[in-house]
Amino acid sequence: MALATRTAHPSALRTLWGSTIGKKTVMAGTGVIMLLFLIAHMLGNLKIFFGPGDFNSYAAWLRTIGQPVLHHSWYLWLQRTALVACVVLHGVAAYQLSRRDRAARPQRYAHRQPARGSYATRTMRWGGVILGLFIVWHILDLTTGTLNPRGEAGHPYEDIVADFQVWYVDLIYIAAMLALGLHIRHGFWSAAQTLGANSRTRDRALKAAANVLAAVLTAGFVLVPVAVMTGLVN
Amino acid sequence: MNLTLRIWRQRSSEQAGAMTTYEVRDISPDMSFLEMLDVLNEELILRGEDPVAFDHDCREGICGACGMVINGQAHGPERTTTCQLHMRHFQDGDTIDVEPWRAAAFPVVRDLVVDRSAFDRVIGAGGYITAPTGSAPEAHATPVPKEAADTAFEHAECIGCGACVAACPNGSAMLFTSAKVVHLNSLPQGAPERESRVLGMVAAMDEQGFGGCTNTGECATACPKGIPLPSIAAMNREYLRALRKGAPGRV
Ligand code: HEM
Ligand code: FES
């Protein structure tokens, strides 16, 4: 007769989602995927400086990626699905961890220290909520065209120009990009720490890389509304 | 020095507490913070009042018992333990706020004393090596690379005082747990239980109700022993490695 010496182990995935480190790992992984997308997105946006022909045909090309293996727009839908999954996982993990964190410190100190963490570190939660709201608005504006003053499919150049001639659209967009810069300033380094890629020798380089990445992404995205506002792109 | 102290007084874990104001006179700048509290307590006893309860043992910065939050900082303004903090770091006439560690996992027992046995349960889940004890083994029986020995020694300095948890806005025990995991996992003696140790200790840490890490770095700033923030990255690395490998020999 065999002795029951083995205990049942939960699957690695279940352990991952069930632990604080694991949930944070999911946040870091999804965050890095979104970050890679944003780099490509920002570079693509800059093609607007080459005129409507160039930009609109680039947008049309995006729909042909993967052809003839994939049908028209299939790749785009795959990517959209993956990105929505990332946003949802990232947001759910952030929400669950934040609730846990608050419960772990039920009573505040009477004498509160001014927080030493950077502004970026302290605004991850609310900054993330702002980004989430921005993502919804951004899709309704430039993907579906619902909220766009023009909103004609296949004409993103004209839609963008119409968009950024409205002052409050510029305001929303630029504010969201500043929030994005802050989120990435802490987020990139934090992801390296979470995924175990940080060490004492790499710490400074990772922080510097996070600052550069945040600045370049913010500047790259903000360039477009500024160009429309100044009439450089029209 | 004459000082005004505002100290958290709470008779038991069931009763509500409050900050209570006391005056102390003629404090020498050479006294430690605990000696200053001793002076206050002598006065309170003479007046027939309850002395302020606080934890302490070695009074030389090695046992980790003496945790309290002074002016919002774990162990006060210097990077040391409260027993090694001297009154010369304060000014005559100062008002000093003294509170217990605040964390759901560290319930207040009385005044400034909290129950830190949640740490013991984290240690109990893997913060040891399973080896026959007895007389000390011959030092060269197991060769340890210099770098591993240095890392282990640096992390073995953790005295389990709980300042990291007290300073963390999330009441997280990640720095404490990482010190123990990195200490043992970097040594050959710790290798047989390398995966089960980190999996077990992290699970216990979560079970005790500590919060998660948001990499704010308050813990490493507060640590009297200088356990560095990248230790948490090292523990994350061990944890994710252990999850990928699964339990050894698992079918
Ligand atoms: C749905 C909107 C979002 C919410 C609610 C959100 C929230 C958060 C929160 C609370 C953290 C943890 C921060 C910490 O304390 O360490 C975080 C981390 C992070 N976020 Fe977001 N975020 C959002 C969108 C994004 C986007 C669009 C990106 C794209 C680049 C991103 C990238 C990251 C990265 C890389 C991290 C680091 C992961 C880590 O801490 O290890 N987030 N986010
Ligand atoms: S009393 Fe032992 S460390 Fe302070």
Side-chain angles (χ1 to χ4, degrees), chain A residues 24 27-28 31 34-35 87 90 94 124 128 132 183 186-187 190-191 194, chain B residues 214:
Chain A
K24 199 71 196 284
M27 290 189 70
M34 292 190 279
L35 189 57
V87 173
H90 192 86
M124 287 307 273
H183 201 79
H186 176 79
S190 179
T194 302
Chain B
T214 48

Side-chain angles (χ1 to χ4, degrees), chain A residues 20 100-101 105 110-111 190 196, chain B residues 97 99 102 166 206 212 215 237:
Chain A
T20 50
R100 192 194 159 90
D101 294 347
R105 163 59 60 71
H111 187 121
S190 179
Chain B
D97 290 335
E99 300 171 72
R102 293 282 185 214
D206 285 349
N215 294 320
R237 193 153 61 234

